[in-house]
Amino acid sequence: MDGAGPPIRTPDQRLRVFVSSTLRELAEERRAVRSAIESLQLAPVMFELGSRPHPPRSLYRAYMAQSDVFVGIYGERYGWVAPGESASGLEDEYALSGELPSLIYVKDPAPDREPRLEALLDRIRADDRTSYRSYRDAGELAELVRQDLATLLAERFDAGRARAGGPIAPGIPAPYSAIVGRDAERDALLALLARPDVRIVTIVGDGGIGKSRLAIEVAGAAAAAGGGVAFAMLETITVPERVITVIARSLGVRDTGDAPLEEKVIDAVAGRDVLLVVDNVEHVLGAVGLLVRLISAAPRLTLLVTSRSPLRVRAERLFPLGPLGLPAPGAGPEAIAAAPAVALFAERAAAVHPGFQLGLDNAATVTEICRRLDGSPLAIELAAARMLWMPVDELLRRLESALTLLVGGARDLPERQQALRSTIQWSVDLLPPGAAAALTALAVPSGPFLGATAEDVLGAAGIGDPVAALTALAEASLLRSEDRRGTPLLSLASLVRAFAREARPELLDTARSAWIDHYRRVAAAAAQPLRGGEQLATLQRLELEAENLGTVVRLLLDDGRLDDAAEYVWSLHLYLWIGGHLGLVREWMTELLEIADRESIPLAVRTRAIALYHTHTVRFWQEPTADVVPGMQAARDLFAEAGDRGGAALADVSIGLGLLTRPEGPDVAGAMVVLERSRAGFREAGDAWGEAAISLVMLGRIALVTGALEEARGRFEASLELASAQHELLGVAIARNHRGWARLLSGDVAGAADDFGTSLDESIALGHDDGVAYGLEGFVGVRAAEGDADAAGLLQGAAQSLRRRTGLLNRSGLDFATPLVQRLRDAGAGDALDAAAERGAAMPLAEVLELVHAP
């Protein structure tokens, strides 16, 4: 970057789209493109939006460096060439776009295009990394940009599904550093897993030996080869019953509470070649039966397990993992450097002390250090971190002294584990004042956390200088950094975490309270943004620390803080709903009520209302024949007693659903009365989201089902207007999708396609699987109405596949596509529909969108 000064940052962490064009000539086009980008809640990076005291070249280069997508818009002008420069900013920006995905739009006709711009466009046309399209006017350009960005997002969506990841948890963890010395083990595991007769492979070995890191490497290699891979990390759970929840999350299967989660997982992987990595099983061996049931029900599923203990089941193949290899006695310089343990030390030492090189003068010393540490990768990394300020001879001297002194306290451990534990203790002993206490405070949560979270918690726990403590821990390699969706997160290795909890137990209660209080504040602060224009950014922020958000509920329940637990869950209700976690919420709230009854803990009126609401709402989806109206009425009355109009209105929606699905027959009139009361309640509570996305949509659905299409459209347009005023993307997507059906059933096929397409793009931007499925089903109706059996079948297959893989069953009663498809079957197109559906089930979403966006 030209010039000095701090890096220039864009305002938020959304996907950033850099827009390049001449300014005055294409001002209208730039406004249209900015609107299209923001409609998907992405962040436009535009030169005129960056009025900063930076030189222009410094500005756009800095913004380009932080962008995710390049959009180039070209008309007739080449642009201004600054004094001393050979190219315009327009050409410079394209050259700087590097490997970014590039979307190029060229105005046509443009009879007076300047020769230098024509030459630039010739160069762009020859670049195979760009998507190149022409446009006539700003309106057409905006639609093209929105569609193309949605397709790019869909490709990310497909990549996540290929890894079997999902919006709440990551796919394959991003390694914090390169793996060293495990090439042979990686290749052997890949060969073993490729055999059709191998169903479970368990990497067994001591703690700190590198089992998880090797599993990450194997998973990455399998995914790079095109295989379906999911990675379930179990270190954040404490009971076997939660293993299915973590596995489902890793596969992208949502626990919406409408079917047993194990059944959903089996349905999601049935008929697919999937490698499921299950990491850190040793503390939940009671879940081994679940793993056996999964491979029995899904014959193409293969498990790669890491554990300190074997599973001891017939299908298991053990893969013992030992320490890194040490040089043989009397080895020469080349053999010493090639020994895996020495290579790891040298690599990690050079990372903290760039001047370090392995040579004749230090090879024997480094070899002795690795030998003293028994080739344990974690111990070697901790020791090498001290090379930041300690010469290698001094490191060996201090390490020898520390190992002699400390090992005596751990004689019941295997020799290798004694060396590792002593190395951790030695590393902690070398920390500056405050950092050791910070280590214990950071050992409370099992999931990764943001740096800002750590600062806040450490400050609340009494650590005087949190930043200095975090820096010291990171420099000692006791605190690790990992990347999740482009954001750095911090975490402790499981052995370091366990050591820290044992080392200073007197600090844990204070630290525990600090973590709980922090996430309670996060939840309370998120409640309102989740219902407005910051919805996407807030969802992404919460997802980064999803494991710890869930842990807080467990801690509050264990502490008997039942009122706090209910309020915390209520603040996160929308996040938990969008993320597909209401099945888990039902379990939490059921347990809350059981604890209160068993231990005679008095509950606040609102707490009991929240608990009853979640248990009965989810029961509605899990038990279709159950009458949930009495239970929901009790919740509604309690909300009203507590003065919570919004809660009462939300309960009224569930009462309305219950009335519509009663076993003795639907009570449409009663449901309408309750839903109108719900709408009034949301309005009185100032909850525009509830009124728009729930009450108005439900009233419109009833109108659709009863054939009152104009009334339905009016309800959906009122919902759309309210949601748009709040800039709330999910509510907008829901309203558009429903209005699409009102239009389609009224004969307005083009209008329906526009609504379904926009809603689908918005759902992809949100990562809302349910909305994506509803959007695809809308286009099934459109193509069926047009008589296109092949496209309708492809889209139907894609939608059904998505629902199976994510566990999102459509039990809303809103299925208007099936009758339209049935007409095609009745006309003799059944075979064509079935064949197309089979192809569509295997198509990536990005390819499916081509059918959606086709004229």
Side-chain angles (χ1 to χ4, degrees):
M1 186 187 299
D2 295 351
I8 305 165
R9 297 294 178 193
T10 46
D12 55 39
Q13 295 301 312
R14 293 176 291 170
L15 191 79
R16 297 169 294 271
V17 182
F18 187 96
V19 180
S20 173
S21 77
T22 51
L23 298 182
R24 289 195 206 119
E25 175 203 9
L26 299 176
E28 184 181 359
E29 283 87 343
R30 289 176 71 84
R31 286 192 295 272
V33 167
R34 178 183 177 185
S35 177
I37 294 168
E38 290 177 337
S39 74
L40 297 175
Q41 287 198 9
L42 309 181
V45 180
M46 308 181 77
F47 184 70
E48 66 268 31
L49 299 181
S51 298
R52 307 283 192 276
H54 298 281
R57 168 174 270 199
S58 172
L59 180 68
Y60 69 70
R61 286 190 171 189
Y63 271 22
M64 180 77 76
Q66 297 169 65
S67 295
D68 303 290
V69 179
F70 177 84
V71 170
I73 312 166
Y74 304 100
E76 296 186 332
R77 303 288 172 258
Y78 174 71
W80 179 65
V81 180
E85 299 294 335
S86 60
S88 69
L90 193 70
E91 182 162 358
D92 200 18
E93 288 169 359
Y94 177 75
L96 289 169
S97 64
E99 297 302 314
L100 290 179
S102 297
L103 305 175
I104 304 300
Y105 304 93
V106 181
K107 193 164 190 175
D108 185 26
D112 300 321
R113 187 168 288 140
E114 294 177 353
R116 288 200 68 177
L117 178 57
E118 198 65 68
L120 172 61
L121 293 177
D122 286 341
R123 195 172 116 217
I124 292 173
R125 290 185 191 101
D127 189 342
D128 59 7
R129 70 181 174 86
T130 62
S131 166
Y132 186 98
R133 304 180 73 170
S134 61
Y135 71 93
R136 292 186 300 275
D137 53 38
E140 182 184 23
L141 174 63
E143 184 62 18
L144 291 173
V145 170
R146 185 179 63 78
Q147 291 180 2
D148 290 344
L149 285 173
T151 300
L152 270 180
L153 290 167
E155 289 168 351
R156 287 189 169 202
F157 182 101
D158 287 329
R161 289 286 165 254
R163 294 190 305 271
I168 295 292
I172 301 170
Y176 60 90
S177 59
I179 195 169
V180 176
R182 295 296 195 192
D183 290 356
E185 290 90 341
R186 178 200 60 209
D187 294 345
L189 277 168
L190 287 168
L192 189 58
L193 291 165
R195 289 173 47 179
D197 60 321
V198 172
R199 304 299 309 284
I200 302 178
V201 175
T202 304
I203 306 175
V204 290
D206 297 332
I209 208 69
K211 301 184 295 297
S212 297
R213 184 63 187 84
L214 178 59
I216 291 172
E217 196 73 9
V218 171
V229 180
F231 203 106
M233 297 177 286
L234 303 186
E235 66 176 350
T236 62
I237 62 171
T238 57
V239 294
E241 291 76 18
R242 291 271 71 83
V243 171
I244 187 62
T245 304
V246 180
I247 289 175
R249 187 183 301 166
S250 74
L251 288 161
V253 175
R254 305 301 182 91
D255 185 10
T256 52
D258 52 358
L261 192 53
E262 185 177 327
E263 289 182 12
K264 286 188 170 191
V265 167
I266 290 170
D267 198 30
V269 297
R272 296 169 58 200
D273 292 316
V274 176
L275 171 64
L276 173 61
V277 182
V278 189
D279 188 33
N280 286 310
V281 173
E282 62 272 355
H283 65 295
V284 283
L285 287 171
V288 169
L290 165 68
L291 302 183
V292 172
R293 290 195 300 275
L294 291 180
I295 63 166
S296 299
R300 292 166 63 183
L301 174 67
T302 303
L303 302 183
L304 175 61
V305 174
T306 72
S307 177
R308 297 182 203 176
S309 305
L311 306 187
R312 304 194 187 284
V313 295
R314 284 183 300 169
E316 180 182 37
R317 299 291 187 100
L318 292 180
F319 190 92
L321 187 64
L324 291 173
L326 295 162
E334 290 186 5
I336 289 175
V342 173
L344 176 64
F345 182 94
E347 195 272 341
R348 298 296 189 262
V352 298
H353 180 28
F356 176 81
Q357 288 187 335
L358 189 70
L360 292 175
D361 58 331
N362 60 21
T365 304
V366 170
T367 298
E368 186 59 24
I369 289 171
C370 295
R371 197 180 307 281
R372 289 276 179 169
L373 298 175
D374 294 314
S376 168
L378 178 57
I380 290 170
E381 290 188 22
L382 291 174
R386 293 299 170 185
M387 291 294 294
L388 177 66
W389 55 275
M390 193 182 293
V392 68
D393 292 333
E394 177 71 3
L395 176 62
L396 176 59
R397 186 185 67 77
R398 291 202 185 195
L399 191 60
E400 286 177 330
S401 175
L403 291 174
T404 301
L405 180 66
L406 296 170
V407 150
R411 288 200 176 99
D412 58 329
L413 293 174
E415 183 177 344
R416 218 164 29 237
Q417 288 297 90
Q418 291 181 27
L420 174 56
R421 185 179 179 84
S422 299
T423 305
I424 296 173
Q425 178 69 69
W426 173 70
S427 296
V428 173
D429 290 343
L430 291 175
L431 292 171
L439 183 67
T440 296
L442 296 177
V444 171
S446 298
F449 43 84
L450 290 163
T453 296
E455 285 186 54
D456 182 64
V457 168
L458 292 180
I463 305 300
D465 189 343
V467 174
L470 291 169
T471 302
L473 292 172
E475 289 176 348
S477 284
L478 292 165
L479 183 65
R480 294 175 170 177
S481 177
E482 63 181 79
D483 181 89
R484 183 175 288 187
R485 301 180 185 92
T487 300
L489 296 177
L490 304 175
S491 64
L492 302 181
S494 57
L495 281 177
V496 173
R497 186 186 311 115
F499 175 90
R501 289 173 179 173
E502 295 173 6
R504 304 284 295 274
E506 73 279 4
L507 301 179
L508 285 175
D509 285 345
T510 300
R512 197 170 185 267
S513 296
W515 282 101
I516 291 172
D517 291 346
H518 170 81
Y519 285 116
R520 286 181 66 204
R521 290 193 298 273
V522 168
Q528 196 54 44
L530 281 169
R531 288 164 162 76
E534 294 302 309
Q535 183 182 79
L536 181 57
T538 305
L539 287 169
Q540 292 172 338
R541 159 69 180 84
L542 293 173
E543 286 166 11
L544 290 172
E545 299 182 277
E547 296 94 337
N548 295 338
L549 287 170
T551 297
V552 168
V553 183
R554 180 73 269 147
L555 296 177
L556 291 170
L557 291 175
D558 289 345
D559 290 349
R561 295 170 60 181
L562 306 186
D563 291 339
D564 290 340
E567 291 294 341
Y568 178 77
V569 167
W570 195 245
S571 296
L572 294 173
H573 173 79
L574 187 56
Y575 162 71
L576 294 165
W577 174 51
I578 294 174
H581 296 291
L582 292 185
L584 182 58
V585 174
R586 183 191 184 186
E587 293 182 21
W588 286 335
M589 294 298 98
T590 299
E591 183 179 353
L592 183 151
L593 293 171
E594 290 172 350
I595 292 171
D597 291 342
R598 184 176 65 247
E599 302 182 17
S600 300
I601 298 175
L603 295 179
V605 171
R606 186 171 139 96
T607 296
R608 192 170 292 277
I610 292 168
L612 287 175
Y613 168 79
H614 282 111
T615 53
H616 287 285
T617 294
V618 179
R619 184 180 174 221
F620 170 82
W621 299 106
Q622 287 183 336
E623 304 171 31
T625 60
D627 185 0
V628 300
V629 172
M632 287 310 309
Q633 185 63 53
R636 196 242 179 237
D637 292 343
L638 289 169
F639 277 124
E641 182 182 341
D644 185 346
R645 293 175 177 175
L650 197 56
D652 271 335
V653 174
S654 293
I655 292 171
L657 278 170
L659 291 171
L660 289 171
T661 56
R662 275 194 149 163
E664 61 268 25
D667 180 359
V668 176
M672 291 287 288
V673 170
V674 171
L675 290 169
E676 288 288 6
R677 185 176 70 185
S678 168
R679 182 185 181 188
F682 281 128
R683 187 176 294 171
E684 290 170 6
D687 188 346
W689 177 84
E691 183 183 358
I694 304 181
S695 294
L696 281 167
V697 167
M698 283 302 304
L699 288 164
R701 282 185 174 189
I702 293 174
L704 271 183
V705 171
T706 58
L709 300 182
E710 282 304 310
E711 180 188 345
R713 180 165 175 170
R715 298 284 196 183
F716 299 141
E717 287 180 345
S719 171
L720 181 58
E721 183 179 353
L722 262 178
S724 298
Q726 299 296 314
H727 307 288
E728 192 265 298
L729 196 59
L730 178 61
V732 169
I734 291 171
R736 283 192 190 279
N737 182 275
H738 284 83
R739 188 177 69 174
W741 283 112
R743 284 179 156 178
L744 184 60
L745 297 176
S746 299
D748 181 6
V749 178
D754 181 63
D755 272 343
F756 290 141
T758 303
S759 172
L760 177 58
D761 293 344
E762 290 161 345
S763 296
I764 291 170
L766 271 173
H768 188 225
D769 295 334
D770 212 9
V772 174
Y774 278 125
L776 294 177
E777 286 158 355
F779 273 97
V780 172
V782 168
R783 298 304 179 225
E786 293 171 339
D788 188 339
D790 188 64
L794 283 167
L795 289 162
Q796 190 170 51
Q800 290 171 345
S801 175
L802 176 59
R803 288 201 178 277
R804 278 197 307 274
R805 294 186 181 196
T806 57
L808 292 166
L809 310 178
N810 182 3
R811 292 185 174 171
S812 67
L814 186 73
D815 181 11
F816 296 104
T818 297
L820 295 171
V821 171
Q822 187 61 44
R823 292 181 197 170
L824 294 177
R825 290 189 179 278
D826 293 343
D831 291 343
L833 281 164
D834 293 339
E838 187 174 347
R839 298 199 310 275
M843 286 177 69
L845 183 61
E847 291 182 22
V848 174
L849 285 188
E850 293 180 9
L851 297 172
V852 167
H853 292 143

